[in-house]
Amino acid sequence: MKKTAILAAMSLANLAQAHSLDFAADKYTAKTAEVNGATIAYRAYEGIPYVSKPVEPEYQQINIYIPEAYFNGGSINGYSAATAPIFLPNQIGGYMPAKPGVPGERRHGGQPGADAMQTALAKGYIVASPGARGRTSPTGKAPAAIYDLKAAVRYLRHNDAVMPGDAEKIISNGTSAGGALSILLGASITDGDDRKLFVEIMGAADARDDIYAVSAYCPISILEHADAAYEWEFNGVNDYEKMDITMLDYKVERKLVKGTLDAAEQRVSDELKAQFPAYVNSLGLKNAQGEPLALNADGSGSFRDYVAAFVAAAANAELQKGADPAVLQAENPWLTIDGKRVKNVDFAAYAKAMGRQKTPPAFDALDLSSGENQLFGDEHQDTRHFTAYSAANSAVKGAGSVGRAAVKTMNPLYYISEKTVPQHWRIRVGTKDRDTSHAIAAILAAKLQNSGKNVDMAMPWGVPHSGDYDLDELFAWMDGVVKGK
Ligand code: DHB
């Protein structure tokens, strides 16, 4: 990880007394949760600072939940106090500041019934939910949130010997901006050079911060190329339904405002779309057979086929579950179904049917109005550009641009390589998600796979921008990667 100049905002060290980073096993509240008709007893350790010198204490803290059984020599789901994996769900949405999660609190959306944290406890996981600073908090501009998550991991590893659970089996989970940060937490690597930042400046524990596995739902990631990716997918779709607030976040109720791109916006769309093939081709990605994933100048090509194949797989899964091929075909004219198999996905028609949700540029807004503009601000300018295109075409006089170092620190593609520590990755983005291009998750999956990682990637059918909707499958995957199945 490279940091250097980005640290100014973080060094406003709190003058209050430094907190201990040692886990206090006797400071808990006894709680229970009902999960599938069974009662699980657990100990709640809430509001623990994970850095000794928090600058924003309400966010730089972690909640830890531990099944009671592990204090009595018990086991759950084949796990014991020594072997239980640690589920690390962040609650980050919209790159906003996030408090630590609380089981059953449902700030996270997801499926009905027990939430991800309650389900984790019932399945014998330790739950550790970190808070993190975000774009509206005084010191929360990029890359503060990723440093905070890493500091939380350091806290867990520092306490591995005294806390039930195995800090070598930490599995991160997050949705949207939280999904992007979950991926970044797994991908980024810190080394001796980062010790000063974490230990001396932030007051984090002097411990490793790599994790075991990563789960991410609909990651809003690779921000510096997300504008081009969005237009690659939605160019030609000129009608839109845009959110009427700048505070994009998968957790808030969404109100959509209809409109149509004007001529200038359509030109921006064309220009951004034209950037994407060269970018994808520069990545040198390959499919599982080792064949190149590339794009032609018009946006067609093997990479587009790769993305479309995930959509086809989702439709095939519906057919396998018993969906009527004639009905599926009639409802989705962009599919060609032959018998009981999808033969073709017309990608442009699929994008049109889904509909555009963002106006170009989708992320680095020319008027600096996006949440991402605020993420890349600093203490002098609340919002800034983070792409060369939007800086050059800015609608705001005197608009600033963030430096390359901060942009890179937020982009997992700079880190993913054979050296990336987590071997196990699970990425989900629904076929109905329009918050970022499906290309983003596809690039991440291909890059991870090409780096020798075990990647479970799918685009669940009909699912919009959301997370934690498939907890049985999520925990089956986690048990599998922990138990080596
Ligand atoms: C989120 C959604 C967005 O559309 C975006 O640009 C950033 C974050 C979110 O739900 O976290």
Side-chain angles (χ1 to χ4, degrees), residues 28-312:
Y28 66 91
T29 314
K31 299 218 161 138
T32 59
E34 302 295 317
V35 180
N36 293 331
T39 302
I40 167 97
Y42 61 94
R43 296 186 182 184
Y45 299 85
E46 295 179 322
I48 306 171
Y50 54 65
V51 285
S52 63
K53 299 180 274 187
V55 288
E56 296 193 39
E58 73 185 302
Y59 301 119
Q60 292 178 298
Q61 53 168 298
I62 189 166
N63 288 350
I64 297 174
Y65 303 94
I66 304 177
E68 183 64 35
Y70 294 151
F71 295 94
N72 312 310
S75 68
I76 304 174
N77 186 25
Y79 300 124
S80 67
T83 65
I86 301 177
F87 180 55
L88 190 85
N90 75 65
Q91 307 295 304
I92 298 165
Y95 285 105
M96 295 290 285
K99 303 239 171 96
V102 176
E105 212 178 76
R106 296 224 149 268
R107 258 184 287 157
H108 210 110
Q111 67 185 43
D115 69 13
M117 284 184 253
Q118 294 171 314
T119 304
L121 289 166
K123 291 186 184 285
Y125 288 69
I126 311 299
V127 174
S129 183
R133 290 167 295 166
R135 61 182 164 91
T136 56
S137 63
T139 65
K141 305 293 190 189
I146 184 61
Y147 291 161
D148 284 350
L149 296 184
K150 288 204 158 266
V153 171
R154 284 169 175 251
Y155 175 91
L156 294 170
R157 205 171 249 114
H158 171 74
N159 286 296
D160 198 21
V162 293
M163 216 185 96
D166 181 359
E168 296 307 320
K169 294 279 155 50
I170 296 175
I171 306 179
S172 171
N173 183 51
T175 297
S176 195
L181 284 157
S182 185
I183 287 177
L184 198 56
L185 181 62
S188 59
I189 297 167
T190 60
D191 56 26
D193 291 350
D194 300 296
R195 193 183 168 280
K196 184 168 169 38
L197 162 67
F198 283 101
V199 178
E200 292 174 29
I201 299 176
M202 291 183 69
D206 197 359
R208 282 170 29 235
D209 54 33
D210 52 274
I211 59 172
Y212 183 72
V214 172
S215 159
Y217 292 91
C218 52
I220 303 285
S221 187
I222 321 181
L223 294 172
E224 60 194 296
H225 298 286
D227 292 333
Y230 204 81
E231 300 316 316
W232 167 78
E233 187 157 337
F234 290 101
N235 181 260
V237 182
N238 293 330
D239 293 334
Y240 61 82
E241 283 186 320
K242 198 178 152 104
M243 301 194 41
D244 68 348
I245 45 168
T246 55
M247 220 141 273
L248 289 183
D249 179 340
Y250 69 97
K251 290 179 274 189
V252 300
E253 198 197 331
R254 303 190 141 204
K255 288 208 188 92
L256 298 169
V257 178
K258 283 184 202 283
T260 303
L261 301 189
D262 63 22
E265 288 171 316
Q266 291 179 36
R267 193 171 58 245
V268 171
S269 173
D270 291 346
E271 288 172 0
L272 288 168
K273 177 192 173 181
Q275 291 181 353
F276 196 56
Y279 171 63
V280 167
N281 296 343
S282 77
L283 296 172
L285 301 172
K286 298 195 165 53
N287 68 12
Q289 288 70 49
E291 296 152 356
L293 295 174
L295 289 177
N296 305 313
D298 69 355
S300 66
S302 53
F303 177 78
R304 192 172 73 183
D305 299 343
Y306 175 72
V307 179
F310 288 110
V311 180

Side-chain angles (χ1 to χ4, degrees), residues 420-485:
T420 301
V421 178
Q423 282 302 310
H424 309 287
W425 298 73
R426 183 179 195 268
I427 303 175
R428 293 289 182 272
V429 54
T431 61
K432 284 210 166 145
D433 199 315
R434 305 102 43 96
D435 275 55
T436 194
S437 168
H438 290 86
I440 298 299
I443 289 172
L444 290 166
K447 179 76 182 172
L448 286 161
Q449 206 150 42
N450 296 170
S451 304
K453 307 303 166 195
N454 161 19
V455 185
D456 180 332
M457 159 79 175
M459 296 184 183
W461 181 256
V463 172
H465 190 62
S466 55
D468 292 357
Y469 42 73
D470 56 351
L471 296 178
D472 285 349
E473 289 100 323
L474 173 64
F475 281 95
W477 175 81
M478 293 205 295
D479 282 342
V481 301
V482 171
K483 296 177 181 176
K485 275 185 258 170

